[in-house]
Amino acid sequence: MTAGEGAGSGSPSNILLIQSDQHRYDCLGSSGGRRCQTPHLDRLAAEGVRFTHAFTPVPTCCPARQSLLSGLRPEQHGGLWNYDITLPVRLFDSPTWTETLAASGYSLGYVGKWHVHPDRTPLDYGFQDYVSLQDYAAWRRAVGLPDYEPIDADALGLDPVVSHWFGGRDPGPLDGARTHWQADRVIDLIERYQREGQPWHVRLDFEEPHLPCFPTDRFALLYPAETLEPWGSFADTFANKPYIQEQQLWTWGIAHLDWAAWSQYLSRYLAVVSQIDDAVGRVLGALERLGLSDSTLVIYTTDHGDACGGHRMIDKHYVMYEDVVHVPLIMHWPGVTEPGAVCNAMVTHALDLATTLSEAAGLPVPDTYQGRSLLPLLRGETPPDWPTEVLSTYNGAQFGLYVQRMLRDHRFKYVWNPTDVDELYDLERDPWELENLVGQPDHHECLATMRTRLLALLTEQRDDIVAKPWLRQQLATGRKLGPRS
């Protein structure tokens, strides 16, 4: 197939991939979770397919972004954690589907957050145009927009270093906000590529709502802190759970915070999500104005979620709670997707998207790719052998080496923590993951089954953690200590 001749009717000439950073699944209007105003993303879902069970292969920025480009799990592409933290790691250097896409005749443009490689940019991976976050920062200084206004650290009793992550306010105009400046740069690229007459792939990568959040005034007051109810997990006591979870509250210096403080954090987070949505609406409006809506595959997703005060935690790392592994995924492909479709199949979004976008553009899919094409699901067809579970991994270094492997199906979640107590949650009965069922006699059989399934999947996915006998035997035999009283 030639460029632009994807699989099935309604093949897109163009691909618009919009990715945010740390957007929780339940902070999207159409998800039915938090009451978050996202009318443009909700409209995109109403016109396309919304996936209810999409999960990140790794809840950490760099590895997740590297997986999206390479189609490989972190344990295969080598980027185990964020390259800009305490310990070095073999740098991502895999061939990418974007390079193949560029070679097939597509014009490729990238706007926004990269965080894939410290030295190489999108220009080294097939993109012809790259507008970076640094470009925005330079523009903001050049036009004289005011600096962001941080919160009062003393009012929350926070160390000034930690308080930075709690954000504040952007006193500048909405058109000067990073979200909307990026949207305008994307529109510039689309208009140019359209004039040049080549099919295009444009990627819009927001750094938001990654902490710290600085919404503009138009959105900052949308969600008054005093009106926000605590997460159902906020009262977590961490009983029978890994030591590192409660320890992280002390590491961050946030163990003393009550909901009144966290509600302010959440208020800014939700405000920035709504601001992203407004910027997305600007880009979708440009597609309509240019007559490109019917010939463009549009995807919205994120790299992973954010604790955002859930379990009294901040950011991500060291946990596999739904807050950080469950992500939004919306796809609109005119002529293929049925408007308003909802897909409940289990999806590993970064891996499956790499395969899907390759196939949609008519590119060969490498045998090494570890995801599956979502094209059947977009057509409303679920193959009989579609996976009923997802795997997510963590190889943390930012707060000490801590390895995790998660297996999740539609009801149960099992987290293998080789250096601490394991976790098992019944998500139907305990959606906030408060009660660790490991050690309870009536769940012994379920635990054994999940361990067997996880071992089989890790072996299939060529995860080196089970390549040697020590940890393999731990998982295979359940040779684990239970929770301590």
Side-chain angles (χ1 to χ4, degrees), residues 10 20 52 67 71 84 179 196 250 257 305 383 390 432 434 466:
S20 57
T52 63
S67 289
D84 50 356
T179 50
E196 293 171 354
W250 293 90
L257 294 184
V390 291
W432 293 107
L434 291 171
V466 294

Side-chain angles (χ1 to χ4, degrees), residues 131-242:
V131 181
S132 70
L133 297 182
Q134 292 73 26
D135 292 329
Y136 168 74
W139 173 85
R140 185 175 179 117
R141 289 192 300 269
V143 298
L145 290 181
D147 292 336
Y148 297 138
E149 296 179 358
I151 62 162
D152 183 352
D154 293 336
L156 294 179
L158 289 172
D159 179 278
V161 175
V162 175
S163 72
H164 161 76
W165 299 108
F166 277 68
R169 167 179 170 264
D170 180 355
L174 181 61
D175 282 348
R178 182 166 58 190
T179 50
H180 288 59
W181 185 88
Q182 287 182 221
D184 288 342
R185 302 294 76 73
V186 163
I187 294 169
D188 291 343
L189 286 177
I190 290 173
E191 290 177 338
R192 174 157 64 84
Y193 293 157
Q194 193 63 17
R195 289 194 302 269
E196 293 171 354
Q198 291 295 108
W200 50 261
H201 163 47
V202 172
R203 180 162 161 180
L204 169 54
D205 244 80
F206 296 109
E207 185 162 43
E208 295 81 6
H210 189 294
L211 66 167
C213 290
F214 293 95
T216 60
D217 287 345
R218 175 174 166 185
F219 294 94
L221 301 179
L222 276 182
Y223 307 97
E226 62 273 14
T227 68
L228 300 176
E229 295 294 325
W231 301 109
S233 62
F234 190 71
D236 198 341
T237 65
F238 303 105
N240 300 330
K241 293 189 176 184

Side-chain angles (χ1 to χ4, degrees), residues 29-267:
S30 57
S31 75
R34 278 277 171 185
R35 293 182 179 176
C36 191
Q37 298 178 34
T38 54
H40 300 289
L41 291 174
D42 294 347
R43 178 187 170 191
L44 189 67
E47 295 175 348
V49 177
R50 178 173 63 86
F51 291 83
T52 63
H53 286 78
F55 296 85
T56 182
V58 51
T60 311
C61 297
C62 293
R65 293 166 180 274
Q66 293 161 353
S67 289
L68 177 55
L69 285 172
S70 69
L72 301 174
R73 292 190 174 277
E75 297 73 33
Q76 298 301 313
H77 63 60
L80 298 180
W81 48 71
N82 289 347
Y83 60 74
D84 50 356
I85 55 174
T86 54
L87 295 176
V89 71
R90 178 165 60 88
L91 297 176
F92 167 81
D93 193 29
S94 302
T96 63
W97 59 269
T98 52
E99 293 170 83
T100 307
L101 188 64
S104 74
Y106 272 72
S107 297
L108 273 67
Y110 196 110
V111 176
K113 181 169 183 174
W114 175 233
H115 214 196
V116 168
H117 196 287
D119 304 313
R120 300 179 181 181
T121 74
L123 301 178
D124 296 298
Y125 294 98
F127 292 88
Q128 293 96 49
D129 294 285
Y130 173 39
V131 181
S132 70
L133 297 182
Q134 292 73 26
D135 292 329
Y136 168 74
W139 173 85
R140 185 175 179 117
R141 289 192 300 269
V143 298
L145 290 181
D147 292 336
Y148 297 138
E149 296 179 358
I151 62 162
D152 183 352
D154 293 336
L156 294 179
L158 289 172
D159 179 278
V161 175
V162 175
S163 72
H164 161 76
W165 299 108
F166 277 68
R169 167 179 170 264
D170 180 355
L174 181 61
D175 282 348
R178 182 166 58 190
T179 50
H180 288 59
W181 185 88
Q182 287 182 221
D184 288 342
R185 302 294 76 73
V186 163
I187 294 169
D188 291 343
L189 286 177
I190 290 173
E191 290 177 338
R192 174 157 64 84
Y193 293 157
Q194 193 63 17
R195 289 194 302 269
E196 293 171 354
Q198 291 295 108
W200 50 261
H201 163 47
V202 172
R203 180 162 161 180
L204 169 54
D205 244 80
F206 296 109
E207 185 162 43
E208 295 81 6
H210 189 294
L211 66 167
C213 290
F214 293 95
T216 60
D217 287 345
R218 175 174 166 185
F219 294 94
L221 301 179
L222 276 182
Y223 307 97
E226 62 273 14
T227 68
L228 300 176
E229 295 294 325
W231 301 109
S233 62
F234 190 71
D236 198 341
T237 65
F238 303 105
N240 300 330
K241 293 189 176 184
Y243 160 86
I244 196 172
Q245 294 191 18
E246 188 171 9
Q247 172 59 44
Q248 284 310 106
L249 304 186
W250 293 90
T251 301
W252 274 94
I254 57 175
H256 66 287
L257 294 184
D258 58 12
W259 181 249
W262 275 113
S263 65
Q264 295 179 47
Y265 180 105
L266 180 58
S267 172

